[in-house]
Amino acid sequence: MQSSMRMRAALGGAVLSLLAVFAGPGTAQSAEPADSTVGDVTGFTADGPVYRLTAGAAEARVSFVTDETFRIELAPDGKYTDPTGQDIVLPQGAPPTTRWTDRGDRYELSTDRVTLRAYKSPLRFAAYRADGTALWSETKGLTWNQDRTVQTLARGATEQFYGAGMQNGRGNTSHRGKTVEVGVDYNWNDGGHPNSVPFYLSSAGYGVFRNTYAPNTYAFGEPVTTSARERRFDAYYFAGEGADAVKDVIGQYTNLTGKPFMPPVYGLEIGDADCYLHNANRGERRTLDALKVADGYVQNDMPNGWMLVNDGYGCGYENLGEAATGLQQRGMQLGLWTEDGLDKLADQVKAGQRVAKLDVAWVGAGYKFALDGCKAAHAGIEANSDARGFTWAPESWSGAQRCGVQWSGDQSGTWEYIRWQIPTYAGASMSGLAYTTGDVDGIFGGSAKTYTRDLQWKTFLPVTMTMDGWAANDKQPFRYGEPYTTINRSYLKLHESLLPYIYSHAHEATKTGVGLARPLVLEYPDDPKAATDTAKYEFLSGEDFLVAPVYKDDVRRDGIYLPKGTWIDYWSGRVHEGPQTLDGYSAPLDTLPLFVRAGATVPMWPGGIRSYTDRTPGSQLAWDVYPQGNSSFTLYEDDGVTRAHKAGRYATQRADVTAPARGAGDVTVRIGASQGAYTGKAASRPYAFTVHTGDAPTKVALEGTALPRHTSRAAFEAATQGWWYDAADRGGVVRVKTAALRTDRPFELTLTDTAAVGGAVPGAAATVSAPAGQELGAGVPGTVSVDVTAGDRDATGVEVGLTAPEGWKVTPAPRIDRLPAGTTRRVQVTVTPPPGARPGESTLTASAGYRAASLDRVAIQRFAVGVMPEPPTADAWASDLVWLRSTNGWGPPERDRSNGESAAGDGRTLTLAGKTYDKGIGAHADSDIEVYLGGRCTRLTADVGIDDEINGYGEVAFSVEADGKVLWTSPKVTGASATVPVDVDLTGARHVHLRITDTNGSKSGDHGDWAAARFACG
């Protein structure tokens, strides 16, 4: 029927075919193959770092790679094989010095860091650190049958497990008690496992890599059983040390299989993909039409780093060189989709291709093909240009981190899509996958709201892409109009400003294997909540940003967990002390819940630039500083595009900050000399600093010389250098700028008599908030409530104001002379939206100017109010009213048509049980249509069921909800059910939701109709 359904059916067939390839011999037998377990040791030989233990016909081989890494192989018939060859494991250095001891009941095989015990009767392994700390131990010997090999390990009382690559909807919290599959499944939705990696790690400080292409299953129960679908055992073990043992394990694993590659800087900007030649969904176009879309980014002042111009089955390209040149003139690079292989790559790269997106259509039935494709595409770009290899792949394996980005495949944009993607990419970092992402708002379905919310948090991933041509409308970030275009631009530019921070972490990944997107547990391993669902729907971007995306159609976010330490709200400057969980966080559409770690020192490009190409060697470098104690950050820089960095052509510059641990004191920022050289390096440059102190210093000095103090923003911005204290910005920040300074010399900036983040008197700051659910009518004066809460000092002279959208009228609230410490006062502000105000959510910013602890201060808070349309005054069809909310499981819900799944208006005549309807709503579970009745209606009538076009399948339930109460719910309805009549009393109801819910876990065919849905009003 619809193209999306055809695609899902095709992928289902692909999965079945692939499973047949991987099933191996014996799967057609009715009985499970008999298991064999390794027996007693019958022989032992030692040959330097390699040891052999025989047990009858079976033989185990132990090889030490480093002091902390070793390999165990088991050949049931004594004959070793290695299907991966040199594909995954890279050549390693000289093996370590080892020693062995016969302890009677066991052999001990040791380096200076780790000891492997090989018990004799039966053969069973256990690993220990040199100090005797246990890492892991087998509860039984290695077991095999003709289809698989299994290792069985004891599970610690509090032991947690991570890894297995990209596990959709999972991974940033513990796998303990769960079974994780590792292998191709082409399931790109929640529960799938594209880009699997046969590697896992434990909170006990060890990791295991199964050296194989076979599918794996890891059951982290008691005991832990890990299996691979092959009749051989081959695993590498890593022993981590110290407080960062888990990071150490990731580092060792990526030493073995390859460190993440260093992407070009344009690869860290958003990418855009579509088919421009022979496009089945958009009609005939030409490849050079891509330049018109590129112009859209330029005209809308939006960053974009690269464009795939042939992304679609059957798509081709023409005028490649001209297209590449045109994109480069617009600050972008050319990418191509490798649907048919890589045989033309050399010519394409010479014509200007710099990005290669790989696809399942040609990689073949196995990970070796995918891995070989990734490596070949990466190498092909580098062999035919001076550029860095930059590839994308939806199905890969261990080793792919060294050649490309792993993305989670084709999905439909929904709130659920956002929800399950949050844990996915941070979780993948636990397997050394430093660059993972998903298309913004998927490639099917989606909406302006889900696109905006999805883009917000993906700007804190290192890479992302938006894909067009498959949904009802193209998905460039400027397609949705206001307010979405402005919001999307602001987040893309924030990402652009953060590129020095992101790029420095990219360099760090080449050394440590640890990517930018991180689970909380990676940085807070001793926090028991970090491993649990408490932290599932948030992640860290580097060490310094905590991101808690909004994944519901809501303007508030509950359950934001802040671990131990001081965290600062990025937008308001409000200080929070962890550990704590925040509920009711105000998050209007333009606000991503975002927190910064106290002590953060973040390098940035000043806001406003659209592309990295806008930078010059003499451009200003900014540092965003949240002073607390002693902290530092090392900035990494190179030319951004060539491979000269591999030859050492790069530079680093370290920033060190000294500040009080809490409260009043001096703050010193030391910027070291830039070490190293590369083409285009700045010999000198001006610097800007934003120092979040909460209190104005008495003096700011550069190398001991006082800088001039400015008394207004305008004077500060007009000056070449100097400083200004902005009390109204995020709780109070000191802004400093310098003239150009030589980069080969260090300098020191001193802020005298100021404070650590949070102010000289911690807790003195007041806060503002606003109750949820406030509503205004377009063109009608109304009141907006704002709550002001004093800190632990009295707030005096409190003046509350509101910043509203253009055209709104705001009447100032009365002044509060004194607000006692710890108390809250609600203030009513009169607000009038213009008559033509757009119905739905609008963002206001409340501010409270006040004096506390002898200083003038300002507290701010963004929040949302609802602008309501005029309620109906007479009987009205549901399809004719304004929809405040219109979420849908697949494609947009339709007015007076069935749900067509893709484009607006692509449905058919509404039909239930052979009866057609002129009026009604066609939706697809799960869906939610919200209308505003304002208490003026008394009844809803309708006929509901699954549209006849589904031919008898699908299963849903319908419900009507008013002002938070469920008034009516249907029985389960299938495609074969009779039409269900609806007659619901709505007397006094203001907000009504018409919901359709999937009831069988399958959203295929859930086309629910609210036929002849009509409100009796008046």
Side-chain angles (χ1 to χ4, degrees):
M1 194 168 63
Q2 285 82 14
S3 61
S4 58
M5 288 189 174
R6 288 200 300 270
M7 175 168 286
R8 282 178 279 173
L11 289 176
V15 172
L16 292 176
S17 300
L18 196 57
L19 292 176
V21 170
F22 275 142
T27 54
Q29 300 175 7
S30 58
E32 285 289 325
D35 286 344
S36 299
T37 300
V38 67
D40 295 347
V41 174
T42 57
F44 172 78
T45 59
D47 184 12
V50 180
Y51 301 87
R52 290 177 171 82
L53 301 101
T54 56
E59 181 177 296
R61 181 166 62 188
V62 177
S63 311
F64 285 89
V65 181
T66 70
D67 278 339
E68 303 95 356
T69 302
F70 58 89
R71 180 185 189 185
I72 298 177
E73 299 168 88
L74 176 75
D77 59 1
K79 299 176 182 178
Y80 295 103
T81 60
D82 187 355
T84 69
Q86 298 180 342
D87 294 345
I88 300 174
V89 175
L90 298 178
Q92 302 294 300
T97 299
T98 64
R99 56 191 179 275
W100 67 275
T101 304
D102 188 340
R103 298 290 188 187
D105 66 331
R106 66 185 185 272
Y107 296 101
E108 290 189 353
L109 319 175
S110 302
T111 69
D112 289 340
R113 300 286 183 85
V114 68
T115 292
L116 180 67
R117 295 181 182 179
Y119 291 94
K120 298 178 182 178
S121 183
L123 175 58
R124 183 173 57 82
F125 293 105
Y128 292 78
R129 292 193 181 94
D131 63 4
T133 303
L135 290 168
W136 58 263
S137 63
E138 293 181 332
T139 59
K140 63 184 292 187
L142 294 170
T143 301
W144 68 89
N145 59 38
Q146 59 186 346
D147 292 340
R148 66 175 186 170
T149 53
V150 181
Q151 185 175 44
T152 306
L153 303 178
R155 189 181 73 178
T158 60
E159 189 175 6
Q160 310 297 329
F161 302 90
Y162 307 90
M166 186 184 288
Q167 296 285 327
N168 286 352
R170 297 156 292 166
N172 72 333
T173 54
S174 177
H175 294 315
R176 181 182 174 92
K178 301 170 185 175
T179 297
V180 178
E181 298 293 339
V182 177
V184 175
D185 69 347
Y186 291 127
N187 177 3
W188 294 331
N189 293 303
D190 191 8
H193 40 90
N195 299 297
S196 293
V197 172
F199 164 82
Y200 71 91
L201 56 81
S202 162
S203 62
Y206 72 88
V208 184
F209 163 61
R210 293 290 281 261
N211 182 37
T212 180
Y213 283 126
N216 285 222
T217 300
Y218 305 147
F220 295 110
E222 175 52 69
V224 174
T225 59
T226 61
S227 65
R229 204 176 302 173
E230 60 182 355
R231 195 174 180 269
R232 57 185 290 276
F233 182 87
D234 187 351
Y236 287 83
Y237 299 82
F238 314 98
E241 288 194 350
D244 287 331
V246 170
K247 288 184 179 180
D248 188 22
V249 168
I250 295 171
Q252 291 181 49
Y253 162 71
T254 52
N255 282 339
L256 187 78
T257 63
K259 288 289 189 284
F261 74 108
M262 184 68 186
V265 66
Y266 53 79
L268 301 178
E269 298 175 318
I270 193 173
D272 188 292
D274 199 355
C275 170
Y276 291 94
L277 190 65
H278 313 309
N279 188 316
N281 297 324
R282 293 293 185 265
E284 189 64 22
R285 296 189 295 185
R286 318 306 301 185
T287 299
L288 292 178
D289 287 337
L291 301 182
K292 299 175 185 177
V293 174
D295 285 337
Y297 282 95
V298 176
Q299 292 161 4
N300 284 279
D301 192 23
M302 286 186 168
N304 185 62
W306 48 277
M307 292 185 68
L308 297 171
V309 299
N310 68 332
D311 205 347
Y313 289 101
C315 194
Y317 59 78
E318 60 190 6
N319 305 114
L320 205 60
E322 189 177 351
T325 299
L327 288 174
Q328 290 165 2
Q329 290 169 346
R330 294 159 173 83
M332 308 171 198
Q333 294 291 343
L334 173 72
L336 292 173
W337 181 43
T338 56
E339 174 191 356
D340 301 317
L342 297 169
D343 58 307
K344 301 176 183 177
L345 182 63
D347 290 340
Q348 291 168 172
V349 173
K350 291 173 183 176
Q353 179 188 1
R354 294 296 180 267
V355 183
K357 180 186 170 192
L358 312 178
D359 195 79
V360 296
W362 64 269
V363 297
Y367 276 122
K368 175 174 171 55
F369 297 93
L371 183 57
D372 285 350
C374 177
K375 292 188 289 188
H378 188 275
I381 292 173
E382 296 196 343
N384 295 281
S385 71
D386 66 351
R388 302 175 195 175
F390 188 59
T391 75
W392 283 55
E395 295 284 353
S396 60
W397 199 245
S398 287
Q401 73 274 2
R402 63 186 188 241
C403 56
V405 173
Q406 287 74 46
W407 113 101
S408 55
D410 298 339
Q411 296 104 10
S412 182
T414 62
W415 295 105
E416 272 292 284
Y417 168 72
I418 297 174
R419 180 196 62 78
W420 67 254
Q421 287 206 332
I422 299 166
T424 300
Y425 308 125
S429 295
M430 299 296 265
S431 300
L433 299 179
Y435 304 101
T436 59
T437 192
D439 298 311
V440 179
D441 204 32
I443 71 171
F444 309 111
S447 67
K449 266 192 179 182
T450 54
Y451 189 99
T452 297
R453 285 298 197 189
D454 200 35
L455 177 64
Q456 283 176 358
W457 72 272
K458 283 178 177 168
T459 59
F460 284 86
L461 300 177
V463 291
T464 198
M465 173 174 65
T466 188
M467 188 170 180
D468 315 299
W470 292 92
N473 300 294
D474 282 347
K475 291 202 169 191
Q476 284 90 14
F478 49 81
R479 296 290 186 189
Y480 295 101
E482 295 300 342
Y484 310 104
T485 296
T486 294
I487 298 171
N488 294 340
R489 180 189 300 113
S490 68
Y491 279 91
L492 287 172
K493 286 203 165 187
L494 176 58
H495 181 86
E496 199 76 11
S497 293
L498 286 170
L499 279 179
Y501 176 82
I502 296 168
Y503 199 63
S504 296
H505 278 86
H507 172 69
E508 177 186 326
T510 69
K511 304 298 182 183
T512 66
V514 178
L516 179 75
R518 304 174 182 186
L520 267 64
V521 74
L522 189 62
E523 300 295 340
Y524 300 90
D526 298 326
D527 187 329
K529 290 188 176 181
T532 71
D533 284 356
T534 298
K536 185 171 185 177
Y537 297 113
E538 59 193 72
F539 66 97
L540 296 169
S541 187
E543 295 182 7
D544 295 325
F545 291 98
L546 189 149
V547 186
V550 176
Y551 56 91
K552 298 178 181 178
D553 190 1
D554 206 344
V555 295
R556 301 181 89 78
R557 173 66 151 84
D558 291 332
I560 301 173
Y561 180 68
L562 303 178
K564 183 179 180 180
T566 303
W567 295 91
I568 299 90
D569 187 311
Y570 187 77
W571 311 109
S572 69
R574 182 174 177 179
V575 176
H576 300 274
E577 293 297 333
Q580 67 165 300
T581 298
L582 300 180
D583 289 325
Y585 180 91
S586 180
L589 184 62
D590 65 356
T591 303
L592 168 71
L594 179 64
F595 302 84
V596 189
R597 180 186 61 85
T601 303
V602 181
M604 302 180 71
W605 291 338
I609 64 170
R610 190 195 64 80
S611 168
Y612 79 95
T613 59
D614 295 337
R615 297 282 296 174
T616 66
S619 293
Q620 188 181 68
L621 179 69
W623 290 91
D624 195 21
V625 181
Y626 297 79
Q628 186 184 75
N630 298 327
S631 59
S632 66
F633 188 92
T634 299
L635 170 71
Y636 171 88
E637 299 175 289
D638 60 27
D639 67 28
V641 294
T642 77
R643 303 188 301 279
H645 67 289
K646 292 184 177 181
R649 301 288 294 174
Y650 64 85
T652 59
Q653 187 175 33
R654 175 169 165 143
D656 288 279
V657 178
T658 302
R662 180 178 171 87
D666 298 345
V667 173
T668 302
V669 182
R670 298 179 183 88
I671 303 297
S674 178
Q675 305 288 335
Y678 59 89
T679 300
K681 178 183 174 181
S684 64
R685 62 185 170 200
Y687 291 83
F689 297 87
T690 303
V691 188
H692 299 253
T693 61
D695 279 276
T698 57
K699 182 176 72 171
V700 175
L702 176 64
E703 286 293 281
T705 300
L707 293 174
R709 179 174 185 172
H710 302 285
T711 57
S712 69
R713 179 186 295 272
F716 175 75
E717 291 179 348
T720 302
Q721 64 179 6
W723 68 278
W724 171 55
Y725 180 70
D726 188 351
D729 185 6
R730 292 167 290 176
V733 301
V734 183
R735 296 188 177 275
V736 185
K737 62 166 64 173
T738 75
L741 302 173
R742 289 178 55 168
T743 58
D744 63 348
R745 295 180 179 176
F747 66 88
E748 185 171 284
L749 192 70
T750 303
L751 288 70
T752 304
D753 296 330
T754 183
V757 65
V761 183
T767 60
V768 294
S769 60
Q774 299 190 75
E775 296 177 354
L776 296 169
V780 180
T783 58
V784 171
S785 298
V786 176
D787 293 335
V788 184
T789 302
D792 58 16
R793 298 291 190 276
D794 290 358
T796 59
V798 181
E799 295 183 347
V800 175
L802 284 178
T803 301
E806 186 177 356
W808 290 44
K809 295 180 181 178
V810 178
T811 302
R815 171 189 170 109
I816 302 172
D817 292 331
R818 179 175 173 270
L819 187 60
T823 63
T824 299
R825 178 79 61 87
R826 177 160 292 180
V827 176
Q828 304 289 340
V829 183
T830 301
V831 179
T832 307
R838 181 181 59 87
E841 171 195 332
S842 289
T843 300
L844 304 181
T845 300
S847 63
Y850 64 99
R851 188 170 181 82
S854 302
L855 286 176
D856 292 329
R857 306 171 185 271
V858 179
I860 61 172
Q861 180 63 61
R862 293 173 172 172
F863 64 99
V865 296
V867 178
M868 298 298 105
E870 181 70 19
T873 57
D875 291 358
W877 298 106
S879 56
D880 291 341
L881 295 178
V882 172
W883 293 350
L884 297 178
R885 182 193 310 254
S886 57
T887 58
N888 207 46
W890 203 275
E894 300 283 2
R895 299 175 186 267
D896 305 326
R897 304 284 287 175
S898 67
N899 184 78
E901 291 201 353
S902 183
D906 68 352
R908 304 184 179 119
T909 300
L910 293 164
T911 307
L912 294 176
K915 180 179 179 179
T916 61
Y917 296 82
D918 293 331
K919 303 295 291 183
I921 300 171
H924 187 121
D926 292 323
S927 74
D928 180 5
I929 308 295
E930 180 186 358
V931 295
Y932 180 69
L933 304 182
R936 293 186 180 176
C937 302
T938 58
R939 188 163 256 27
L940 166 69
T941 57
D943 290 339
V944 298
I946 292 180
D947 198 283
D948 289 356
E949 67 184 359
I950 295 304
N951 298 321
Y953 59 98
E955 184 181 299
V956 302
F958 294 79
S959 62
V960 178
E961 179 182 305
D963 301 327
K965 295 181 179 180
V966 177
L967 303 183
W968 175 85
T969 300
S970 75
K972 291 182 181 179
V973 177
T974 72
S977 297
T979 302
V980 178
V982 181
D983 190 345
V984 181
D985 184 350
L986 295 176
T987 302
R990 293 171 56 80
H991 290 263
V992 172
H993 292 259
L994 306 181
R995 301 186 191 273
I996 306 175
T997 306
D998 166 59
T999 56
N1000 65 354
S1002 171
K1003 298 188 186 302
S1004 179
D1006 290 343
H1007 283 206
D1009 294 345
W1010 294 92
R1014 186 176 180 85
F1015 295 102
C1017 311

